[in-house]
Amino acid sequence: MAYPIKDFFKLALAQLNPVVGDIGGNLQKAREARARVAVTDADLIAFPELYLTGYPLEDLVLKPALQKAAHEACEALARDTEDGGPAILMGLPWGEPPFVYNAVALLDRGRIETVRYKNNLPNYGVFDEKRVFAPGPMPAPIDFRGLKLGVPICEDIWSEEVCAALAYAGAELLIVPNGSPYWTGKQDARYGVAETRVAETRLPLAYVNQVGGQDELVFDGASFVLNADASLAVQMPAWEEALGVTQWRRENGRWRCLPGLIAGIEEGEAANYLACVTGLRDYVNKNGFPGVVLGLSGGVDSALCAAMAVDALGAARVHCVMLPFTYTSNESLDDAAACAEALGVRYDIMPIHPAVEGLTEGLRTVFADAAQDATEENLQSRARGTLLMAISNKLGPIVITTGNKSEVSVGYATLYGDMNGGFNPIKDLYKTEVLQLSRLRNTWKPAIALGPAGEVIPNNILVRPPSAELRENQKDQDSLPPYEVLDAILQRLVEREEPISVIVEAGFDRDTVVRVERMLNLAEYKRRQAAPGVKVTLKNFGRDRRYPITNRFRDPGTPLPATDISLVTGQPVKTEAFDF
């Protein structure tokens, strides 16, 4: 039997990893979580935002069939509470035709007791909830066994109105279900927002977040509780599922969470590495792939991707392939083999000479006497991409593509070649960050990692000048500025959207900045065709940064490039082909 709450109660926070659309699987996991906390005599278990269907749903939430299935699952879960065990705060989409709401339902005494709707719908960055949800009215507190709970949903706490209204209406504490995705520095931002709401309302706040990957987004969990004085009472771990049972006592008429677990939270490079591993693991597993295959070139990008894949899936599910050609150095062959051996993965060598020579011969008549250029280099890349895709088609593993954010930004990649693949774990990491994370992984094995400890990326890979090895003695810096310079400029152009004049004033060479900005603009058509990848920065390519492909605008601070339209005649100044 559920007794009224007086001066003590237990609140369980279910930091779980749902699968979008797997309502039955999510329901089963919720039941298992409730059963586990029931033995601790928990009064209430709170789940993350939209947990029952998974989050984010995008346009899937508009399907009446999904709304109906979610409602039926919620009713079934509500019937479970007839046993007198823990009540449930469950996030789900709630259809009230013609609208659908981002909702949370209180399930108790065998029924759906009440439902509250999200009021503040985010519509920026990776979020576009106004596209699919209707905003709910300003929510009132939920009466739970005599205790008045304020239940703002995620974005509701990122401005003051909802929490202020709940406090004014008599809420005694705030429970916040979240689907809050990770990016660098996000936990500090969450603390700051939560502390501000606590200071304004003088109410304690329990923050429950989901964990795991969903397409390009990754959720770090890291749920926590702040008391009314903004002190941290509970900090759950990041990057793993967890159930935290918090204990609360009424003191002098106000609720206080008793001290509990304070888990260490990874920050900076360590958090970014865990984000990439988590995103890759869940993309592969949730989509049912048996494993991954990737080209292991002897360079740092593919080596880091291989290490992440082994940490995510285990060595038995990772297949690395060296695809050498005339310009592949012995050093690359040795480094790739050493990396594969350190990781314990299957490693095959498949020379691409027959494929490249066949393509070259097939094009001989069409090309006639045309001089060799990047076309022949790209044939090498496309031969490699085709062979990797053939392995995927025949054996089933998904191809992992290994281009970093520096290359993705400026188009230093070949469409239908090294860009082939279904997922890219380092898509949002600049080259300098790839090197930093590689050095980090050689000295640290994360708790969630399935790979070996120790040096998994040979040091020679980290110190060699990077090269695509598509021609004799090629180096990346033949075509690009030094990565330390390139990455600093790109961060200003992409993450901060700084004008060229501002970047130049910060001390960067004007010609270099103009050149990088031009490459960034011209590569949009490539990025639109790139594989999805884990978001770790404030602004990734894809969900965050949505630029048109056909676009004649250029920063007024730049001279008119040859590919632009004459501002006088409106006619092309010069036709210049894209580099594919």
Side-chain angles (χ1 to χ4, degrees):
M1 178 178 177
Y3 295 98
I5 290 172
K6 295 183 180 179
D7 296 321
F8 180 84
F9 86 105
K10 292 183 178 181
L11 167 65
L13 303 179
Q15 179 176 292
L16 300 180
N17 184 357
V19 177
V20 164
D22 186 10
I23 296 173
N26 297 337
L27 173 62
Q28 179 60 31
K29 185 178 284 190
R31 283 174 162 156
E32 293 169 357
R34 180 175 182 267
R36 287 175 57 190
V37 303
V39 300
T40 71
D41 295 323
D43 298 287
L44 176 66
I45 180 170
F47 290 84
E49 178 181 16
L50 293 176
Y51 169 81
L52 198 53
T53 55
Y55 177 84
L57 287 163
E58 303 184 58
D59 286 3
L60 179 62
V61 76
L62 300 176
K63 291 184 73 70
L66 178 125
Q67 298 170 29
K68 181 175 182 289
H71 194 276
E72 290 173 349
C74 186
E75 289 179 327
L77 191 58
R79 289 192 291 271
D80 292 353
T81 62
E82 287 179 330
D83 62 9
I88 300 168
L89 273 176
M90 177 56 67
L92 75 159
W94 194 270
E96 293 283 357
F99 303 114
V100 59
Y101 297 94
N102 184 333
V104 63
L106 174 66
L107 316 180
D108 197 15
R109 300 184 178 93
R111 61 182 181 267
I112 301 174
E113 291 275 12
T114 191
V115 179
R116 294 291 184 270
Y117 301 145
K118 188 173 183 177
N119 171 263
N120 190 8
L121 301 177
N123 212 57
Y124 57 87
V126 300
F127 307 107
D128 51 7
E129 289 192 23
K130 289 183 180 179
R131 172 186 172 87
V132 294
F133 290 115
M138 196 64 69
I142 294 174
D143 190 347
F144 169 62
R145 303 181 186 176
L147 172 60
K148 289 197 171 189
L149 302 175
V151 189
I153 302 173
C154 200
E155 192 74 13
D156 283 340
I157 72 167
W158 288 73
S159 58
E160 64 184 54
E161 294 82 8
V162 172
C163 292
L166 288 166
Y168 182 78
E172 298 174 78
L173 65 92
L174 302 174
I175 302 175
V176 190
N178 291 271
S180 177
Y182 170 82
W183 56 76
T184 306
K186 186 66 174 290
Q187 188 69 356
D188 286 341
R190 295 182 189 128
Y191 284 148
V193 168
E195 289 166 359
T196 299
R197 299 292 88 82
V198 166
E200 292 166 351
T201 61
R202 294 186 294 176
L203 296 176
L205 182 150
Y207 185 105
V208 56
N209 192 25
Q210 78 176 53
V211 67
Q214 170 57 30
D215 294 345
E216 293 183 293
L217 299 184
V218 64
F219 301 83
D220 52 327
S223 305
F224 61 89
V225 177
L226 297 181
N227 271 316
D229 60 359
S231 61
L232 185 65
V234 172
Q235 175 60 69
M236 294 171 63
W239 308 111
E240 61 185 72
E241 290 189 309
L243 289 173
V245 179
T246 63
Q247 302 182 69
W248 298 72
R249 179 170 288 128
R250 195 195 304 266
E251 300 174 353
N252 301 318
R254 303 183 73 85
W255 287 99
R256 181 172 183 81
C257 182
L258 303 182
L261 171 72
I262 303 293
I265 300 297
E266 296 84 359
E267 299 178 344
E269 293 173 4
N272 285 347
Y273 187 88
L274 288 164
C276 294
V277 169
T278 299
L280 174 59
R281 178 199 68 203
D282 282 358
Y283 193 87
V284 172
N285 289 340
K286 290 181 179 181
N287 286 293
F289 292 102
V292 302
V293 61
L294 69 152
L296 192 63
S297 68
V300 68
D301 298 316
S302 62
L304 181 61
C305 286
M308 288 176 170
V310 172
D311 282 346
L313 306 169
R317 298 176 67 191
V318 179
H319 182 186
C320 292
V321 184
M322 161 56 87
L323 299 145
F325 188 58
T326 305
Y327 307 114
T328 303
S329 67
N330 289 331
E331 200 171 14
S332 292
L333 288 165
D334 293 342
D335 288 343
C339 184
E341 182 178 4
L343 291 168
V345 299
R346 175 180 174 180
Y347 178 66
D348 291 314
I349 300 177
M350 296 175 56
I352 65 169
H353 297 78
V356 174
E357 290 166 2
L359 291 169
T360 302
E361 180 60 30
L363 291 165
R364 188 177 305 281
T365 301
V366 175
F367 285 179
D369 298 324
Q372 289 196 1
D373 55 16
T375 303
E376 283 72 21
E377 296 178 16
N378 290 341
L379 284 179
Q380 300 169 47
S381 181
R382 291 189 172 116
R384 292 182 173 111
T386 298
L387 291 170
L388 291 172
M389 288 304 301
I391 293 172
S392 176
N393 291 162
K394 181 66 71 174
L395 303 179
I398 184 175
V399 176
I400 295 303
T401 184
T402 62
N404 60 67
K405 192 172 185 177
S406 307
E407 295 169 346
V408 172
S409 295
V410 298
Y412 193 63
T414 304
L415 276 174
Y416 326 120
D418 57 329
M419 290 180 66
N420 272 9
F423 198 75
N424 183 352
I426 64 169
K427 181 180 180 179
D428 205 24
L429 294 174
Y430 290 105
K431 184 73 167 193
T432 50
E433 294 172 321
V434 167
L435 286 163
Q436 291 164 1
L437 263 61
S438 298
R439 295 187 180 101
L440 173 68
R441 180 57 181 88
N442 277 347
T443 61
W444 164 73
K445 177 187 172 182
I448 68 170
L450 301 179
E455 183 178 277
V456 294
I457 300 175
N459 186 64
N460 195 55
I461 291 178
L462 305 181
V463 300
R464 289 174 59 198
S467 169
E469 294 192 327
L470 298 176
R471 62 177 180 269
E472 197 70 44
N473 298 319
Q474 182 185 25
K475 299 291 184 290
D476 287 7
Q477 258 58 83
D478 298 340
S479 305
L480 301 173
Y483 280 114
E484 294 79 6
V485 175
L486 176 64
D487 291 354
I489 293 172
L490 287 171
Q491 286 170 355
R492 289 172 177 269
L493 288 171
V494 177
E495 270 83 24
R496 305 183 201 174
E497 296 282 6
E498 287 185 1
I500 284 177
S501 59
V502 172
I503 301 174
V504 172
E505 288 172 4
F508 293 89
D509 174 70
R510 181 181 185 82
D511 289 344
T512 302
V513 176
V514 169
R515 178 173 166 235
V516 171
E517 195 252 4
R518 178 176 176 275
M519 290 190 291
L520 176 67
N521 287 327
L522 290 178
E524 188 61 41
Y525 77 103
K526 288 188 178 181
R527 289 191 291 271
R528 194 68 65 90
Q529 300 180 65
V534 181
K535 169 185 166 69
V536 298
T537 65
L538 184 61
K539 184 175 287 189
N540 75 332
F541 290 118
R543 296 180 68 96
D544 278 322
R545 189 180 187 273
R546 309 178 194 184
Y547 269 54
I549 297 173
T550 305
N551 168 26
R552 291 180 180 174
F553 179 80
R554 296 293 182 266
D555 186 332
T558 68
L560 190 68
T563 52
D564 277 337
I565 301 301
S566 168
L567 299 180
V568 178
T569 67
Q571 299 299 313
V573 176
K574 178 183 177 182
T575 300
E576 186 171 322
F578 285 131
D579 173 16
F580 286 90

